[in-house]
Amino acid sequence: MQVSLQALKAFEAAARHGSFKAAAEELSLSPTAISHHVQNLESRLSLSLFHRSVRKIQLTQAGKRLADAASRGFRTIEQALEEISLAGRKIQVATTTSFASLVLIPALDDFQRQFPSIAVKVSSGESIENQLYSLPIRFGNTESVAAEDILCRETFDVFGAPSAVPALMSNNALRIALTRWKNPALQAPPIDSWLANNFNLKPDIEFISHDQELIGIQQAVMGKCLVFCSATLSKPFVQGGLLTPVGSHSVDTGYCYYCPDKSHYDSNNNQLFLHWLQALLVA
Amino acid sequence: MQVSLQALKAFEAAARHGSFKAAAEELSLSPTAISHHVQNLESRLSLSLFHRSVRKIQLTQAGKRLADAASRGFRTIEQALEEISLAGRKIQVATTTSFASLVLIPALDDFQRQFPSIAVKVSSGESIENQLYSLPIRFGNTESVAAEDILCRETFDVFGAPSAVPALMSNNALRIALTRWKNPALQAPPIDSWLANNFNLKPDIEFISHDQELIGIQQAVMGKCLVFCSATLSKPFVQGGLLTPVGSHSVDTGYCYYCPDKSHYDSNNNQLFLHWLQALLVA
DNA sequence: ATTATAGATGATTTAAACTCATCTATAATC
DNA sequence: GATTATAGATGAGTTTAAATCATCTATAAT
């Protein structure tokens, strides 16, 4: 067809406003430019798009048809631009409640200090809403995840509140909180392996299960029990003196935190964020 | 958003072909130009649209979304351009069967000789198909039509085949074909007025009615009867010696041929055609 | 190894797009 | 009924944006 898109844009604006002047203002051009563009279109199509009376333009039949299509076409494109440009400006992290509340959100201040212009939104739990263009950070089995997607491998240990540990350990029946993952692909936490590493004789233990590590950790912080959980998740509490490992040997779990298709994340900001997160996790 | 439409066009073609080179060929540009355009887009959106491996590009998530929207958006616009540009290249006249067959089609050769590059299609009768962008030539009452839309005012006369006229006129019972218009807004043809103008004593007359002038005219040409009809429609036959007016006084009818909203016809070709038609009718 | 290919990059050239000055027609104001 | 103001038309001139060219890289195929 050989018509210029800019001419179409100019025409569309003129049609919408019913005025070259107003269209020019919208597009930050001179009315002359709009006039030239419309004439260019008209001559290429060899038909009039506007009826010109003095100080008044009015769409012709063909002009109406084209203006409508151009408006819809440009709108379609603008909406997509709007949508994806959000992904360019804002980071939307989707992860587990435990990782979000215990690691990500507390550390976010540091990220914001380094990159104050980048907005970060963390959504956690099951909420699928607005998954589009979000950056997923998942918890899974190391062997079922591509090596380049892994952010950190998880070691587990048993932790307890320092003030409560002596009492909890001296007790005949140890109470240890475990996590029973909702995800059936994840095997149960290797508490037996940890016990074998830390006790000669397997003590009498009462296990309590929750479906999120967060809950067991909070129980442990409150001194109600010990918790067998991720070193990554407990780290903020250990550093804050609220939890301490009770044994001397942590165990490797085969779990990891990872970002599926990590290399495919297309926004500069997402890449920046992943880089920052990885540094945070290995620290 | 401030992204260039040409960059979007380049990106859309690249996405569709999965290749900058192919996109460049489609748009008659160099692959470099496509590369520049895509980079320009990516930097403005601050995200990647393609994953680049060597000699292979692959859309990112955001790239897919944008490519889809851009394709649909541009297609919408191109379809409208295609549709209306047809109106710019081709003239589609819609008119009555009688006018088309007796006047327009016979004269079309002359138009084609003058403008060989312009295609003309004449559709007649009730067919509404493809009314869009067609140029209507209608038959109606002068007083209900805007003066500037009128192509020619109609005078009526009674005609007969020259060889048959003496016999038909000498007969006691004259047989005259009339038209009873399907359109209820049109009053009956003023045959009484014609009779008053051409006879002192009203003769004995048998009237035959058809809903199209064409039919009465053909009957008259075949010598079966006389016909009271439009001077415009009978002119080709009169000039060809197949019909002759039987009286000396034609009558004005209040009918006219007109083009509704004549001034609004937007294609250069339509205007050219209307000009030619008007010249034809007043000749 | 060698060649060929797709794309990236940066400098240069070209062409398209925008503006400016001028003009016309008309509506509003006095 | 002259005067002013306004929206758009027109054509020449200028500027900016876009395309190309030359060069380079990485890799797949021979």
Side-chain angles (χ1 to χ4, degrees):
Chain A
M1 194 49 46
Q2 287 295 88
V3 305
S4 134
L5 285 165
Q6 326 204 43
L8 276 165
K9 193 93 194 73
F11 163 70
E12 189 273 336
R16 192 156 22 80
H17 288 108
S19 153
F20 287 6
K21 190 166 183 275
E25 272 157 25
E26 177 182 312
L27 300 175
S28 311
L29 291 177
S30 64
T32 312
I34 309 294
S35 171
H36 279 306
H37 273 310
V38 172
Q39 279 180 60
N40 175 278
L41 267 186
E42 291 181 319
S43 77
R44 277 176 202 272
L45 295 167
S46 65
L47 47 79
S48 315
L49 295 167
F50 289 110
H51 296 300
R52 272 98 162 160
S53 352
V54 185
R55 274 195 261 182
K56 202 177 92 189
I57 55 173
Q58 200 191 343
L59 283 168
T60 62
Q61 194 185 12
K64 276 202 196 83
R65 172 77 182 86
L66 184 59
D68 173 66
S71 286
R72 282 186 294 115
F74 289 134
R75 272 270 306 283
T76 301
I77 294 171
E78 270 154 28
Q79 278 171 5
L81 282 171
E82 202 57 47
E83 192 182 309
I84 66 167
S85 84
L86 205 77
R89 284 178 279 119
K90 187 165 149 189
I91 302 169
Q92 298 212 72
V93 189
T95 189
T96 64
T97 307
S98 298
F99 187 74
S101 62
L102 299 180
V103 179
L104 208 48
I105 291 170
L108 225 51
D109 273 353
D110 172 67
F111 184 84
Q112 296 290 3
R113 221 172 292 120
Q114 284 187 52
F115 309 102
S117 67
I118 305 177
V120 183
K121 186 187 160 198
V122 176
S123 63
S124 64
E126 316 297 304
S127 60
I128 312 292
E129 45 102 20
N130 218 341
Q131 285 288 49
L132 207 56
Y133 309 117
S134 69
L135 183 66
I137 307 296
R138 296 199 188 138
F139 184 68
N141 287 315
T142 307
E143 67 267 21
S144 59
V145 170
E148 67 270 24
D149 289 349
I150 293 175
L151 298 170
C152 72
R153 286 159 209 279
E154 286 291 275
T155 56
F156 266 40
D157 213 338
V158 173
F159 300 90
S163 58
V165 164
L168 288 166
M169 290 298 281
S170 66
N171 225 328
N172 274 1
L174 287 174
R175 283 162 46 85
I176 301 184
L178 297 181
T179 306
R180 181 168 293 150
W181 314 111
K182 270 180 288 190
N183 179 355
L186 287 173
Q187 65 238 40
I191 182 68
D192 288 337
S193 158
W194 183 88
L195 291 171
N197 278 358
N198 290 278
F199 290 93
N200 293 327
L201 259 116
K202 196 171 169 183
D204 205 11
I205 300 173
E206 180 193 351
F207 293 112
I208 319 145
S209 286
H210 305 286
D211 62 2
Q212 287 179 24
E213 288 182 271
L214 176 61
I215 300 169
I217 292 172
Q218 282 171 344
Q219 295 290 310
V221 168
M222 292 186 285
K224 311 260 185 179
C225 59
L226 301 173
V227 62
F228 181 57
C229 74
S230 151
T232 301
L233 295 186
S234 58
K235 188 160 65 179
F237 293 107
V238 173
Q239 286 176 342
L242 291 169
L243 284 181
T244 185
V246 302
S248 46
H249 304 291
S250 64
V251 289
D252 225 340
T253 56
Y255 304 139
C256 64
Y257 282 99
Y258 69 103
C259 172
D261 293 315
K262 179 160 164 277
S263 67
H264 273 213
Y265 279 85
D266 36 19
S267 102
N268 299 344
N269 291 348
N270 279 344
Q271 283 165 9
L272 216 60
F273 182 84
L274 281 172
H275 198 261
W276 166 85
L277 181 59
Q278 194 140 25
L280 174 74
L281 292 178
V282 300
Chain B
M1 192 50 47
Q2 285 297 86
V3 304
S4 133
L5 284 165
Q6 327 205 39
L8 276 166
K9 193 92 193 73
F11 163 71
E12 189 272 336
R16 192 155 26 78
H17 287 108
S19 153
F20 287 9
K21 190 167 181 273
E25 273 157 25
E26 178 183 312
L27 301 175
S28 312
L29 292 177
S30 65
T32 312
I34 309 293
S35 173
H36 279 307
H37 274 310
V38 172
Q39 278 180 61
N40 174 277
L41 267 185
E42 290 180 321
S43 78
R44 279 176 201 271
L45 295 168
S46 66
L47 48 79
S48 314
L49 295 168
F50 290 109
H51 296 300
R52 272 100 163 158
S53 349
V54 186
R55 273 194 262 181
K56 202 177 92 188
I57 54 173
Q58 201 190 342
L59 284 168
T60 62
Q61 195 185 12
K64 277 202 196 82
R65 172 77 181 88
L66 184 59
D68 174 66
S71 286
R72 281 185 294 114
F74 288 135
R75 271 274 303 285
T76 301
I77 295 171
E78 269 154 30
Q79 278 171 5
L81 282 171
E82 201 59 45
E83 191 182 312
I84 66 167
S85 86
L86 205 77
R89 283 179 279 119
K90 188 164 146 189
I91 302 168
Q92 297 210 70
V93 189
T95 188
T96 65
T97 305
S98 299
F99 188 73
S101 63
L102 299 179
V103 178
L104 207 47
I105 292 173
L108 225 50
D109 273 352
D110 172 65
F111 184 83
Q112 295 291 3
R113 222 171 291 121
Q114 283 187 54
F115 309 101
S117 67
I118 307 177
V120 183
K121 185 186 159 196
V122 177
S123 63
S124 64
E126 316 297 302
S127 61
I128 313 292
E129 43 103 20
N130 218 340
Q131 286 286 53
L132 207 56
Y133 309 118
S134 70
L135 182 68
I137 307 296
R138 295 199 188 137
F139 185 70
N141 286 317
T142 306
E143 67 265 24
S144 59
V145 170
E148 67 270 24
D149 289 347
I150 292 176
L151 297 170
C152 71
R153 287 159 207 280
E154 288 288 276
T155 56
F156 266 40
D157 212 337
V158 173
F159 300 90
S163 58
V165 165
L168 289 165
M169 291 297 283
S170 67
N171 226 329
N172 272 1
L174 288 175
R175 282 162 48 85
I176 301 185
L178 297 180
T179 306
R180 180 169 294 151
W181 314 108
K182 270 180 289 192
N183 179 354
L186 287 172
Q187 65 239 41
I191 182 69
D192 289 337
S193 159
W194 183 88
L195 291 171
N197 277 358
N198 288 275
F199 290 93
N200 292 329
L201 258 117
K202 195 171 169 184
D204 202 11
I205 300 176
E206 180 193 353
F207 292 112
I208 319 146
S209 285
H210 305 287
D211 61 3
Q212 288 179 22
E213 289 183 270
L214 176 62
I215 298 169
I217 292 172
Q218 283 171 344
Q219 295 290 311
V221 168
M222 290 187 284
K224 311 258 184 181
C225 60
L226 301 173
V227 62
F228 182 57
C229 74
S230 150
T232 301
L233 295 186
S234 59
K235 187 160 65 177
F237 293 108
V238 173
Q239 285 175 341
L242 291 168
L243 284 180
T244 186
V246 303
S248 45
H249 305 291
S250 61
V251 288
D252 225 339
T253 57
Y255 303 139
C256 64
Y257 281 100
Y258 69 103
C259 172
D261 292 315
K262 179 159 166 278
S263 67
H264 274 212
Y265 279 86
D266 35 20
S267 103
N268 299 343
N269 292 346
N270 279 344
Q271 283 165 10
L272 215 62
F273 182 85
L274 282 171
H275 197 259
W276 167 83
L277 182 59
Q278 194 140 22
L280 174 75
L281 291 177
V282 301

